[in-house]
């Protein structure tokens, strides 16, 4: 089966990348993967390569035998994915407007659980794993949270009336933070107007095998 996606987010997992996008013909969210639940190499993710926000990518793919909720969007790519267009800023905003239909309420429904300043969906829940929220850009806050011997980039965001502090996996924000610190990440965030926060569920961690925690996958000015 052939798919055409507008890439909406690229996230970092060490040296590897996870990609997601809005499927233009079916009007659904898709997570293309090189193998079931697999990640892409950095060399195919960037502004001059295949996967980057605003790129239109075509590929053939099949749904793998992965676990819910991620299986809702997982598609394993067969052959080589091909970048067929790079959208203008206005074209990308139009694609994001279509993707805005996938709100947390629509995608997660009653499966989203709140745990203090975190949120998660139980592993295996029959729902989706990719959502987004339109916000006032000025309300989006990034901060540095010490964690054991490390520093983690976190975002403050209100979801369904709950103020959450979410992990940030978004490639651009996380790379800026890791290379130059919090101010560099904050400089990339829009300061005024409307913005779309891309949200996704992480696959279960070893410490939480029954929970898929909500994270920030991307941030785009509208």
């Amino acid at each position: 089966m052939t798919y055409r996606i507008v890439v909406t987010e690229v996230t970092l997992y060490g040296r590897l990348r996870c990609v997601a996008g809005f499927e233009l013909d079916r009007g659904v969210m898709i997570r293309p993967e090189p193998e079931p639940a697999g990640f892409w190499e950095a060399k195919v993710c960037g502004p001059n390569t295949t996967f980057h926000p605003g790129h239109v990518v075509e590929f053939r793919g099949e749904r793998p035998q992965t676990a819910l909720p991620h299986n809702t969007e997982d598609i394993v790519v067969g052959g080589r994915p091909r970048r067929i267009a790079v959208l203008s800023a206005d074209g990308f905003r139009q694609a994001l407007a279509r993707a805005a239909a996938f709100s947390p309420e629509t995608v997660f429904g009653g499966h989203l659980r709140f745990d203090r300043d975190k949120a998660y969906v139980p592993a295996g829940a029959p729902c989706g794993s990719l959502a987004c929220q339109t916000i006032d850009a000025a309300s989006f806050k990034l901060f540095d949270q010490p964690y054991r011997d490390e520093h983690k980039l976190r975002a403050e965001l209100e979801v369904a009336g709950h103020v959450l502090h979410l992990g940030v996996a978004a490639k651009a924000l996380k790379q800026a933070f890791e290379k130059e610190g919090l101010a560099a990440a904050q400089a990339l965030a829009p300061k005024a107007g409307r913005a779309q926060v891309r949200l996704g569920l992480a696959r279960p961690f070893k410490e939480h095998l029954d929970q898929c925690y909500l994270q920030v996958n991307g941030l785009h000015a509208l």
Side-chain angles (χ1 to χ4, degrees):
M1 193 173 293
T2 300
Y3 297 87
R4 289 189 311 133
I5 67 166
V6 175
V7 177
T8 54
E9 58 231 71
V10 178
T11 53
L12 287 186
Y13 288 90
R15 296 184 177 182
L16 300 176
R17 313 286 189 259
C18 184
V19 174
F22 180 77
E23 215 286 326
L24 291 169
D25 301 313
R26 298 167 182 83
V28 298
M29 292 303 300
I30 293 291
R31 183 185 296 103
E33 302 165 338
E35 64 270 339
F39 299 116
W40 297 96
E41 293 183 88
K43 66 182 181 182
V44 297
C45 298
N48 299 313
T49 63
T50 305
F51 297 114
H52 188 72
H55 288 189
V56 180
V57 181
E58 184 177 77
F59 52 87
R60 291 190 61 79
E62 300 293 338
R63 191 171 302 282
Q65 295 294 316
T66 51
L68 286 168
H70 294 82
N71 183 258
T72 302
E73 299 96 358
D74 285 352
I75 295 292
V76 171
V77 175
R80 184 175 180 179
R82 186 168 64 98
R83 186 183 76 185
I84 59 174
V86 176
L87 296 181
S88 65
D90 186 58
F92 188 40
R93 283 192 292 270
Q94 291 178 33
L96 292 174
R98 292 182 66 189
F102 294 90
S103 67
E105 294 80 7
T106 299
V107 174
F108 308 131
H111 299 287
L112 189 63
R113 312 286 172 80
F114 296 95
D115 177 15
R116 292 173 293 182
D117 62 349
K118 301 288 185 265
Y120 68 90
V121 167
C127 65
S129 64
L130 294 169
C132 65
Q133 185 156 300
T134 302
I135 63 165
D136 178 354
S139 71
F140 186 82
K141 298 180 177 63
L142 292 169
F143 62 96
D144 180 344
Q145 183 176 68
Y147 178 74
R148 296 177 182 172
D149 296 327
E150 301 178 283
H151 287 264
K152 299 290 186 179
L153 182 62
R154 298 284 186 259
E156 183 175 289
L157 181 70
E158 184 173 325
V159 177
H162 297 260
V163 177
L164 303 178
H165 293 159
L166 303 179
V168 177
K171 177 177 176 284
L173 296 175
K174 194 171 180 180
Q175 283 184 329
F177 176 74
E178 291 177 348
K179 292 178 180 178
E180 300 179 59
L182 179 61
Q186 291 172 327
L188 296 179
K191 305 299 186 293
R194 305 295 282 169
Q196 186 178 102
V197 182
R198 302 297 314 168
L199 297 168
L201 298 176
R203 295 184 194 269
F205 302 122
K206 290 182 180 179
E207 298 86 352
H208 302 282
L209 292 175
D210 58 346
Q211 297 166 342
C212 301
Y213 276 90
L214 192 64
Q215 63 183 18
V216 172
N217 284 359
L219 176 67
H220 305 298
L222 296 177

